Amino acid sequence: MSGYTPHTPADVAAMLAAIGVDSIDALFAQVPARLRAGARIALPPGLTEPELCQRMAALAARNATPGEPVAFLGAGAYPHVVPALVDQILRRAEFATAYTPYQPEVSQGTLQAMFEFQTFVAMLLGLDVANASMYDGASAAAEAVLMARRVLPGRRVVWIARALHPHYRATIATYVRSLGDVELREIPIASDGRSDLAAVAGRIGADALCVVLGCPNVFGVIDDVAGGAACARAAGALTITVTTEPLALALLRSPGALGADIAVAEGQSFGLPVSYGGPGVGLFATAERHVRSMPGRIVGETVDAHGRRGYVLTLATREQHIRRERATSNICTNQGLCALAVTAYLSLLGRTGLRELAAVNYRTAHAVAARLEAAGVARRWSAPFFNEFVIRAPEAAARWEAIAAESGVIPGFPLGRWYPELSDTLLVCATEVHEPAHIDRLVGALAGAAPRMRAAER
Amino acid sequence: MLLDEPLIFERGSPGRTGWRPPPAPEGAVEELPEALGREDGLAGFPEVSELEVLRHFLRLSQWNYSAATTFYPLGSCTMKYNPVVNEEVARLPGFAHLHPLVPEALAQGALELLAALEEALAAISGLDAVCLQPAAGAQGELLGMQIIRAHHLAQGDPRRRVLIPASAHGTNPASAALCGYEVVEVPVSGRGLLEAATVAALVDESVAALMVTNPNTLGLFEEEIEAVAAAVHARGGLVYMDGANMNALLGIAKPGDMGVDVMQFNLHKTFSTPHGGGGPGAGPIAVRATLAEYLPVPRLVRRDGRLLWSEDAPRSVGRIRSFYGNFGILVRAFAYIARLGGPGLEEVTRLAVLNANYLRARLAAAYHLAYDTPSLHECVFSDRRLQEHGVHTLDVAKRLLDYGFYAPTIYFPLVVKGALMIEPTETETKETLDEFAAALCAIAEEARTDPALVRGAPHRTRLARLDETRAARHPVLRWRPAAR
Amino acid sequence: MEIPEDLRYTTEHEWLRIEGSEGVVGITDFAQEALGDVVFVELPAVGTPLARGQAFGVVESNKSVSDLYAPLGGRVVAVNAVLREEPELVNRDPYGAGWMIRIALAAGESPDSLLDAAAYRAHVETERAK
């Protein structure tokens, strides 16, 4: 019927004969009749392939597309150019339709790619070892807190920056709530847009499990991670950094160099389209001494019976299929194909391309900020940033949806949705996808709002 | 011919790159303070051309067996055909390049798709409310257990224990433990099934839930499921169902009718999204109406003819990830369901079960069948008949690779010693099943006449058996640049 | 399969050698064979108090993991740190170089309650038959 099942009536007859039953129905004899009676699936009949494509195209057409309108949105999902080559590699069915490499002899493609991925992640985050990926940055952050709990049993307070992306904070809260022995406390936002470590340093004590900071933080601000790590270390606690825009780390000091014990990131920027928020890929790295507490799949190097180099899943006894209730996590899959995209992307750009791309992002965002400043729309804070920054724009924030509809530009994200104290601001992200004409449109839409605002203030 | 290929880090030449970005806007900008700058200039990152990258990954791809290139009968993984049209539609710019934070007015197509998918999964499960957020089955399971916990807390009695059959997948007890529960193992009968009397004897007011898989990991339909669920409900407990084996239930029995209160789906199994070498998948959950208030935020709601995200859910367990879910995977699953329609989905199960039973009939003479009980979509054998020749399940799996097949799941479920769990799925032809059965029968014969051949397999793959002990004892988990 | 006569045993396949007021503990030949290649051994810190039957560590092989249980109560006075680098000693020499911990036995703890070699052999035969 659908084209995916190949059985002809002759096939079915031959198979039933081999089994020794009269009908397919007989194969369900053990299912109670009452259950069978209610089991019809009330969905419309199927479609042909062209009908399906039409239906999907119609749905897709009702969504925004790049440039229609131009979106200066980041806030956890970053628009970057996805090179054609990356998608070509993801389309290889040999990668896309394999599963977890339980039989390593015939899964070396997946395994070597994962080993390369682990290497990239460890290098980028400036730490010793990385796993073969987690579901996304937010769940990676939650798993980092769970890992800290294993490394330092008995400590119970988790200090989390208010300036950490709220989806990440909420995910951590959900994961730890069901454990019952962990307490979350907030590091407030300082007047300069960084985390206010001074306000809490005196209280980060012997009961502290870990300090969790954005690197950069949700406002795009480069936070004082080294300072936070020093506080944590003084209290014997671990430092966990969270990076939503990992391209920043091609330009900025690495979490490892800043003192992170565990560093996590969202890898979507590296070769994955924003795709309405998923799938992404969680990057997770830590110091060598903690490797046995690290969750997730891990690939290791070894040799075969003839001494040839190869790769296998290793340290598996931490995992659910063996430890069951004492596992380090319940994670089963990683994000295989997404991790492959990251690996292909980082290979393609390499040392030069990645550094250049980071520089272009930095310059573009700073040029946008400067033009907005010149047009009377100032930044909320003057702290250093990478490709995201916060502007004061009360009228635009209040009319955000209308501006998107009227001006052909989405001028950033109204932070008031996440931070009531910042309801007069927008979080603006600018990357290499934003062209001069787009920036003109942004400035026009926001500067148009500013004079009206100044007039109202007089 | 399979070509060799080093690590990408072992290729290239200083200064080479495969891609350069578009230029930045002109004009000076404030310099980044040096103390904040990268410390190592990305030393160690590859410097290779675009062709080198293409060639590298194409060579690697050739080293994989995959479901697209060969029969891949992993039990409980449902390695069915992943329709390529789904890859096309998921890449439409209106889906792939849609930022999650655009105003909802500019995402109505995406939201309609998600709403339709929620409705379809509700219809398929016979339950009332659906959440599409979980990134994988294991995450859906964790969420389901958190919802159960929230329910009991709201009743004023948190309860401490969860009942789990001995045959369950390892994620089940792991998820329960992550919610702070104590796991109590439920023995299965001689027929491999849960018995209501056994469950009733174990259930008391300290039991929060029973986690069940139906059909179970042995591929057997839990015939007493309604009575089992009733026994749990009688003492105020809830029933969680691991929906990994939904490929055997479409049009046959609905979890909601069985007494299930919460379940997760694995879209990368029954609903055809690709396995990706280990993800990304998606693990949406469905719950009974009484539990809907605990579902994560944000929720999809319809107001004045528009779809919106709502955070208004005071009893929600919160978020388990960023944004809304693995949207790209949800698009593919939606396309599959739309393509097949109700009748197409019902046909999936009928033919999946036909295929599994056909294989079972073709293999029962050569291999020991773990349980006599009728199989649904997968069957479990063991190596019992081969042990006298010193050949074990692992050896059979490795020898199958020489025949060009991926091995079935081995050593799971744990209740069967030397388990070989085979799930063919409905998209395989009779001829493929015949070839596979012939290979397994040939291996059984080889075990008798030339056991060393089987024990030394694989012989025809690019690499022979790998030293997993060495990998675990002396872990090398990354490449390192040579010391300067 | 080796079962030295001068040792005591538990049903969980640990062995105990009494040396004055201390006991040395490891896992038996049967256990190491059943586990397969040992890849990692997790041992407690020196000074840890242990009750009889309490889990004191974990032994991991490629495919499985097992808890280790103290045969008698007392305080850990030494652990075999060499196992960190050479876990294979557990396979190669389970009763000698593969020893795991040394306990200063608590007052009143007696090895008489443990299995002797003959009783342990019988126990192993029963396990094998399963």
Side-chain angles (χ1 to χ4, degrees):
Chain A
M1 249 190 263
S2 68
Y4 303 145
T5 49
H7 300 70
T8 65
D11 290 334
V12 173
M15 293 167 84
L16 289 174
I19 297 167
V21 294
D22 286 326
S23 67
I24 296 182
D25 266 316
L27 299 173
F28 297 99
Q30 71 277 41
V31 180
R34 195 190 86 85
L35 289 176
R36 292 212 55 193
R40 297 311 301 271
I41 298 179
L43 289 175
L47 303 171
T48 63
E49 189 177 281
E51 285 171 342
L52 175 68
C53 290
Q54 257 167 40
R55 175 118 190 254
M56 300 302 285
L59 285 168
R62 293 174 61 200
N63 301 326
T65 45
E68 298 296 328
V70 175
F72 284 82
L73 289 170
Y78 299 91
H80 290 290
V81 175
V82 177
L85 185 66
V86 173
D87 194 54
Q88 276 304 302
I89 292 166
L90 297 189
R91 283 178 183 268
R92 295 299 301 194
E94 297 92 333
F95 283 126
T97 70
Y99 195 29
T100 311
Y102 296 123
Q103 304 298 342
E105 301 87 346
V106 293
S107 312
Q108 288 298 299
T110 295
L111 286 162
Q112 180 167 323
M114 290 301 100
F115 186 81
E116 294 173 350
F117 173 82
Q118 287 170 192
T119 304
F120 275 121
V121 173
M123 292 198 300
L124 186 76
L125 298 176
L127 285 165
D128 299 317
V129 291
N131 66 22
S133 79
M134 313 220 72
Y135 303 132
D136 69 340
S139 57
E143 293 272 6
V145 172
L146 296 185
M147 174 176 158
R149 189 172 156 268
R150 286 191 293 277
V151 172
L152 296 176
R155 290 182 170 235
R156 38 172 304 116
V157 180
V158 175
W159 289 92
I160 303 189
R162 182 171 172 73
L164 182 65
H165 194 294
H167 291 184
Y168 288 58
R169 280 187 290 137
T171 301
I172 292 171
T174 307
Y175 271 67
V176 305
R177 186 178 313 123
S178 38
L179 293 172
D181 58 4
V182 169
E183 188 193 322
L184 301 178
R185 292 193 201 158
E186 188 176 90
I187 305 172
I189 303 167
S191 57
D192 64 354
R194 286 188 267 243
S195 292
D196 195 347
L197 291 164
V200 297
R203 289 185 284 138
I204 300 179
D207 59 353
L209 175 59
C210 57
V211 171
V212 186
L213 295 169
C215 181
N217 68 27
V218 69
F219 308 123
V221 163
I222 300 170
D223 215 326
D224 182 13
V225 173
C231 282
R233 204 173 312 119
L238 296 180
T239 301
I240 298 173
T241 60
V242 176
T243 300
T244 55
E245 168 54 300
L247 183 62
L249 301 181
L251 195 68
L252 302 179
R253 197 158 294 262
S254 72
L258 293 169
D261 297 293
I262 308 171
V264 305
E266 170 55 60
Q268 172 266 312
S269 288
F270 293 150
L272 294 167
V274 286
S275 192
Y276 208 52
V281 55
L283 313 183
F284 193 114
T286 190
E288 182 88 51
R289 64 185 176 280
H290 298 311
V291 69
R292 286 200 136 81
S293 303
M294 185 163 67
R297 290 258 145 83
I298 304 180
V299 174
E301 187 182 295
T302 185
V303 293
D304 79 347
H306 303 301
R308 292 178 294 218
R309 181 174 73 178
Y311 303 93
V312 289
L313 291 178
T314 193
L315 302 185
T317 49
R318 304 154 303 119
E319 295 185 66
Q320 50 76 23
H321 59 290
I322 293 170
R323 285 270 187 155
R324 297 171 72 89
E325 63 264 28
R326 282 164 315 144
T328 50
S329 164
N330 74 338
I331 192 170
C332 191
T333 53
N334 51 337
Q335 290 280 99
L337 206 63
C338 296
L340 179 65
V342 170
T343 309
Y345 180 89
L346 293 177
S347 299
L348 183 66
L349 269 67
R351 184 176 187 178
T352 308
L354 206 59
R355 292 169 74 198
E356 280 184 13
L357 181 65
V360 168
N361 272 251
Y362 180 88
R363 296 180 62 82
T364 304
H366 283 73
V368 171
R371 283 196 57 190
L372 287 172
E373 176 93 39
V377 180
R379 285 175 59 207
R380 176 72 173 73
W381 299 295
S382 56
F385 64 95
F386 175 61
N387 66 2
E388 267 191 297
F389 56 93
V390 179
I391 53 172
R392 271 193 214 277
E395 226 224 45
R399 295 189 61 244
W400 181 67
E401 275 145 5
I403 292 178
E406 295 159 5
S407 327
V409 61
I410 303 178
F413 180 70
L415 275 175
R417 293 186 177 205
W418 289 348
Y419 296 91
E421 70 269 37
L422 295 172
S423 60
D424 60 340
T425 68
L426 292 169
L427 177 62
V428 177
C429 173
T431 73
E432 77 281 7
V433 307
H434 295 106
E435 294 160 19
H438 299 150
I439 301 171
D440 291 340
R441 230 192 276 181
L442 174 72
V443 175
L446 287 175
R452 277 204 289 284
M453 201 190 83
R454 283 199 291 274
E457 275 169 358
R458 274 189 224 112
Chain B
M1 184 189 162
L2 296 179
L3 295 167
D4 235 345
E5 179 65 18
L7 293 168
I8 193 69
F9 308 99
E10 293 166 332
R11 278 216 178 278
S13 188
R16 201 179 282 167
T17 183
W19 193 88
R20 304 193 97 109
E26 313 241 301
V29 296
E30 42 191 287
E31 287 295 304
L32 184 71
E34 209 194 299
L36 298 179
R38 182 85 194 182
E39 70 277 8
D40 63 357
L42 295 186
F45 271 68
E47 301 185 82
V48 289
S49 70
E50 183 167 335
L51 177 57
E52 283 184 285
V53 174
L54 177 65
R55 196 165 279 167
H56 176 80
F57 288 100
L58 284 182
R59 287 186 180 187
L60 260 54
S61 75
Q62 300 303 295
W63 300 345
N64 271 4
Y65 282 18
S66 66
T69 52
T70 189
F71 186 48
Y72 209 104
L74 282 179
S76 266
C77 291
T78 314
M79 308 292 295
K80 66 173 70 183
Y81 172 58
N82 311 133
V84 295
V85 67
N86 297 349
E87 296 304 309
E88 289 308 306
V89 299
R91 285 166 164 81
L92 288 166
F95 295 136
H97 297 292
L98 184 65
H99 192 282
L101 296 176
V102 300
E104 281 107 318
L106 299 175
Q108 288 297 300
L111 298 177
E112 286 289 353
L113 185 151
L114 295 178
L117 182 59
E118 285 184 359
E119 279 161 34
L121 292 177
I124 289 165
S125 61
L127 290 167
D128 306 304
V130 171
C131 170
L132 301 174
Q133 244 191 58
Q139 210 187 37
E141 212 174 86
L142 179 61
L143 175 62
M145 296 312 292
Q146 285 170 342
I147 287 175
I148 288 173
R149 183 173 172 275
H151 162 84
H152 286 298
L153 277 174
Q155 307 295 308
D157 176 15
R159 304 193 173 212
R160 332 185 299 271
R161 294 145 103 216
V162 167
L163 302 181
I164 302 185
S167 54
H169 193 282
T171 55
N172 290 183
S175 303
L178 280 173
C179 285
Y181 288 118
E182 193 188 305
V183 171
V184 176
E185 202 175 80
V186 182
V188 298
S189 73
R191 295 182 67 223
L193 303 174
L194 281 178
E195 290 177 316
T198 312
V199 172
L202 284 170
V203 172
D204 60 24
E205 269 77 16
S206 75
V207 170
L210 166 75
M211 295 180 85
V212 70
T213 312
N214 195 12
N216 63 29
T217 57
L218 297 162
L220 313 173
F221 187 81
E222 291 288 5
E223 296 167 19
E224 296 190 34
I225 184 68
E226 289 176 275
V228 164
V232 174
H233 290 147
R235 305 297 280 253
L238 294 175
V239 177
Y240 178 89
M241 185 176 114
D242 180 340
N245 289 334
M246 275 305 294
N247 219 46
L249 291 185
L250 301 172
I252 295 301
K254 291 193 180 177
D257 295 341
M258 294 174 200
V260 169
D261 300 297
V262 199
M263 68 170 286
Q264 108 286 338
F265 294 92
N266 301 62
L267 297 188
H268 47 292
K269 296 185 178 185
T270 309
F271 298 96
S272 90
T273 73
H275 285 78
I285 63 165
V287 301
R288 217 167 264 299
T290 46
L291 298 174
E293 57 185 328
Y294 306 112
L295 288 174
V297 284
R299 306 274 171 80
L300 201 49
V301 298
R302 211 175 279 273
R303 227 170 260 156
D304 304 325
R306 290 231 120 148
L307 283 165
L308 308 163
W309 291 112
S310 166
E311 302 267 338
D312 181 17
R315 309 190 97 177
S316 161
V317 295
R319 277 187 165 277
I320 51 158
R321 56 158 302 140
S322 53
F323 304 118
Y324 316 115
N326 277 356
F327 180 74
I329 304 304
L330 302 175
V331 171
R332 289 166 170 85
F334 171 80
Y336 178 75
I337 292 170
R339 179 94 204 268
L340 264 57
L345 289 170
E346 291 175 3
E347 188 191 48
V348 161
T349 290
R350 294 168 62 77
L351 295 174
V353 170
L354 176 67
N355 274 3
N357 277 275
Y358 179 68
L359 261 186
R360 177 177 153 150
R362 292 291 313 270
L363 292 171
Y367 285 83
H368 169 252
L369 192 64
Y371 287 89
D372 220 345
T373 322
S375 301
L376 280 181
H377 69 312
E378 60 192 4
C379 47
V380 180
F381 292 90
S382 85
D383 56 4
R384 190 181 293 187
R385 292 203 198 136
L386 308 176
Q387 285 184 354
E388 55 176 307
H389 310 291
V391 169
H392 301 283
T393 289
L394 180 67
D395 306 316
V396 173
K398 298 303 183 191
R399 185 63 180 143
L400 268 171
L401 306 180
D402 288 333
Y403 282 83
F405 296 108
Y406 198 85
T409 300
I410 54 175
Y411 299 109
F412 182 80
L414 301 172
V415 289
V416 174
K417 238 183 135 236
L420 203 64
M421 180 164 61
I422 304 171
E423 181 187 355
T425 86
E426 73 285 2
T427 52
E428 298 295 337
T429 63
K430 178 174 170 298
E431 301 86 82
T432 299
L433 302 182
D434 288 334
E435 282 167 27
F436 181 72
L440 270 178
C441 292
I443 293 170
E445 182 60 24
E446 286 170 356
R448 268 192 294 285
T449 57
D450 190 359
L453 180 69
V454 183
R455 282 200 303 268
H459 306 286
R460 302 185 59 200
T461 52
R462 185 173 161 269
L463 294 184
R465 285 199 207 187
L466 288 143
D467 188 346
E468 296 184 5
T469 299
R470 171 179 164 147
R473 280 186 183 157
H474 308 289
V476 174
L477 307 179
R478 57 171 286 186
W479 171 87
R480 284 186 183 277
R484 282 182 218 94
Chain C
M1 189 198 45
E2 230 196 301
I3 303 180
E5 291 296 319
D6 61 325
L7 302 180
R8 291 280 171 164
Y9 299 89
T10 70
T11 51
E12 299 296 329
H13 308 288
E14 285 91 12
W15 56 261
L16 175 78
R17 181 170 61 243
I18 298 288
E19 293 183 0
S21 61
E22 292 179 345
V24 182
V25 180
I27 64 170
T28 65
D29 192 20
F30 173 78
Q32 70 79 16
E33 203 176 289
L35 275 173
D37 291 333
V38 172
V39 301
F40 190 71
V41 185
E42 192 183 292
L43 296 174
V46 168
T48 308
L50 292 173
R52 168 205 293 241
Q54 182 181 347
F56 69 81
V58 172
V59 59
E60 290 182 28
S61 66
N62 264 322
K63 300 290 183 215
S64 71
V65 60
S66 288
D67 284 322
L68 301 162
Y69 299 99
L72 294 177
R75 181 172 296 272
V76 178
V77 297
V79 302
N80 188 356
V82 177
L83 293 182
R84 183 173 304 282
E85 287 308 307
E86 298 183 54
E88 55 268 30
L89 290 174
V90 175
N91 296 113
R92 262 194 261 137
D93 190 8
Y95 301 108
W99 71 274
M100 292 183 176
I101 62 172
R102 176 182 287 271
I103 311 176
L105 297 170
E109 288 290 88
S110 158
D112 295 339
S113 53
L114 300 173
L115 303 173
D116 65 12
Y120 179 64
R121 180 167 288 114
H123 175 64
V124 165
E125 293 309 318
T126 325
E127 295 261 302
R128 277 212 167 127
K130 281 195 197 143

